[in-house]
Amino acid sequence: MAKGHPELIDAFWPEGTLAREDIVGIQSLVKSLPERVEEVRGGDSKQQQSPSIRDVIQNCDIDVFQNTVRESFNTEENRKRSFVLAQNAFRRTPKSANLLPFADIDTIHSNDATVKIRSIEESSFYSTKMDYDEYTFANMGNALIKLTNFILKEMNYNVGDIASPFIIRDSRMYIWKKDGTSIPPSSPSEFMSDTTESSIESWSACNLASIEFSGICTEGEVDRQSNKLKEALSDEGVMSPWKIVDDSLLVLQYNAPGTLPWRRKNQVAYVVEKVDAASVSKESMDAKEDDGDIACDDSEGIADAITDESTYE
């Protein structure tokens, strides 16, 4: 629909409207939703070793849940904030949530994607190890429960201290630590002493190239979006000065579980660095020369074949 009738879509549902965002979000589910259904049914052989939904439920800490509910309703201010956070299930961009701060640097427009270049300062993140390197519902849910349990215990069960987005990178899940301070090694927390899977890590300042997409994160959808990002950065017509310097993909998910699927906001990103214009121009010229050499070689081969055939006759 979105691709077949763009003028009609633009006329009735202009960009920037909630209806347009819903249409794009629903369209994104055409491929990803069947993939998630197949995954939950166990149709993918890769899922045999993954944690199941039952495992996710069993990892829920009842004490943490009860203490969090108690803390969320013990004052009028906390009750109002909890009500707003609950309404985020219907919002694309969470309200009254701690959002990881980015600074916009550049925007790259290609045929199929709009790439945002943003910087992030040196920051601290809560981190936990994931069971497997895959974007399945159970695997991500299991890690998210472990990580939120970690944060809630550290922050006196204050659900407002759980920032957005949660980030997956190299089989670990991260959530930004707003105050930016880590727990002193000489006085580890009780929770950290119970397990080595969760910790607090520091990230160096860096630049990220990202594209945004709606819907749910499945193996197939993450692959499609990451390929689109790479193609946009390497598009000769765009001649982007930003180059990927780390092949580790970052997947950012901004919404809590239970958010309407078509209103979920996601991003894929790579760490990038800017190269000078002369280098970009030289790389483009080299690529064109290589293409020209290949074309010349092919022409010479065809000419030789014609000559040989003429001689044979």
Side-chain angles (χ1 to χ4, degrees):
M1 179 178 178
K3 292 184 178 180
H5 306 279
E7 294 181 358
L8 181 63
I9 296 293
D10 289 337
F12 284 93
W13 302 285
E15 287 191 10
T17 61
L18 181 60
R20 177 61 172 265
E21 291 181 353
D22 283 346
I23 289 173
V24 174
I26 292 171
Q27 184 73 16
S28 70
L29 296 175
V30 171
K31 292 182 179 179
S32 60
L33 191 57
E35 291 171 345
R36 179 52 45 84
V37 171
E38 183 70 12
E39 164 206 315
V40 173
R41 288 178 175 174
D44 190 343
S45 59
K46 243 175 80 175
Q47 313 305 326
Q48 299 303 317
Q49 295 181 333
S50 300
S52 64
I53 296 178
R54 180 180 298 178
D55 295 329
V56 175
I57 296 173
Q58 290 177 345
N59 281 332
C60 293
D61 191 317
I62 299 300
D63 290 335
V64 171
F65 175 76
Q66 291 175 340
N67 288 328
T68 301
V69 172
R70 189 180 300 113
E71 179 67 21
S72 298
F73 293 94
N74 63 354
T75 66
E76 181 65 23
E77 180 182 354
N78 285 354
R79 285 193 289 271
K80 289 181 178 179
R81 183 183 60 186
S82 298
F83 181 71
V84 173
L85 292 176
Q87 290 178 320
N88 283 338
F90 305 98
R91 297 188 180 101
R92 179 174 175 80
T93 300
K95 188 177 180 180
S96 297
N98 294 324
L99 296 177
L100 175 64
F102 290 100
D104 292 338
I105 299 177
D106 195 4
T107 302
I108 300 169
H109 297 283
S110 71
N111 292 332
D112 297 326
T114 298
V115 180
K116 294 285 187 180
I117 308 295
R118 302 178 298 171
S119 66
I120 178 175
E121 297 180 352
E122 182 177 354
S123 306
S124 296
F125 288 83
Y126 299 104
S127 168
T128 195
K129 186 178 183 300
M130 301 180 71
D131 294 314
Y132 296 95
D133 182 20
E134 53 190 37
Y135 303 98
T136 62
F137 176 81
N139 193 41
M140 293 188 292
N142 199 39
L144 187 59
I145 287 175
K146 288 191 295 183
L147 193 51
T148 52
N149 282 346
F150 178 17
I151 298 172
L152 289 170
K153 285 186 176 183
E154 289 300 324
M155 305 308 296
N156 196 28
Y157 306 101
N158 185 354
V159 71
D161 286 319
I162 300 178
S164 176
F166 60 92
I167 304 172
I168 296 176
R169 182 184 190 185
D170 292 336
S171 301
R172 293 192 71 86
M173 183 176 286
Y174 301 87
I175 292 179
W176 177 52
K177 191 174 188 295
K178 185 177 180 180
D179 58 21
T181 59
S182 60
I183 299 172
S186 58
S187 57
S189 70
E190 179 183 352
F191 186 74
M192 288 181 68
S193 63
D194 289 342
T195 177
T196 59
E197 289 187 347
S198 299
S199 61
I200 297 177
E201 299 181 16
S202 294
W203 283 17
S204 301
C206 63
N207 298 319
L208 296 179
S210 66
I211 59 174
E212 186 173 309
F213 63 99
S214 302
I216 55 180
C217 291
T218 61
E219 290 285 336
E221 188 64 24
V222 170
D223 284 342
R224 287 187 289 271
Q225 298 296 333
S226 60
N227 289 334
K228 184 186 295 185
L229 175 56
K230 288 180 179 178
E231 290 170 3
L233 290 173
S234 60
D235 188 345
E236 287 187 11
V238 175
M239 290 189 63
S240 167
W242 298 96
K243 302 301 176 186
I244 297 174
V245 294
D246 188 337
D247 290 330
S248 297
L249 178 68
L250 290 81
V251 178
L252 296 77
Q253 301 180 65
Y254 283 79
N255 308 92
T259 303
L260 295 176
W262 58 88
R263 289 192 178 169
R264 297 189 66 85
K265 176 181 176 180
N266 314 291
Q267 294 164 350
V268 291
Y270 285 103
V271 177
V272 294
E273 288 184 359
K274 192 172 187 178
V275 296
D276 58 85
S279 298
V280 175
S281 180
K282 184 177 184 303
E283 288 181 8
S284 179
M285 291 296 294
D286 290 343
K288 290 180 179 178
E289 288 178 1
D290 290 341
D291 291 342
D293 291 342
I294 293 172
C296 288
D297 291 343
D298 290 344
S299 299
E300 291 173 0
I302 293 171
D304 291 342
I306 293 174
T307 302
D308 292 343
E309 186 176 347
S310 300
T311 302
Y312 177 76
E313 291 175 352

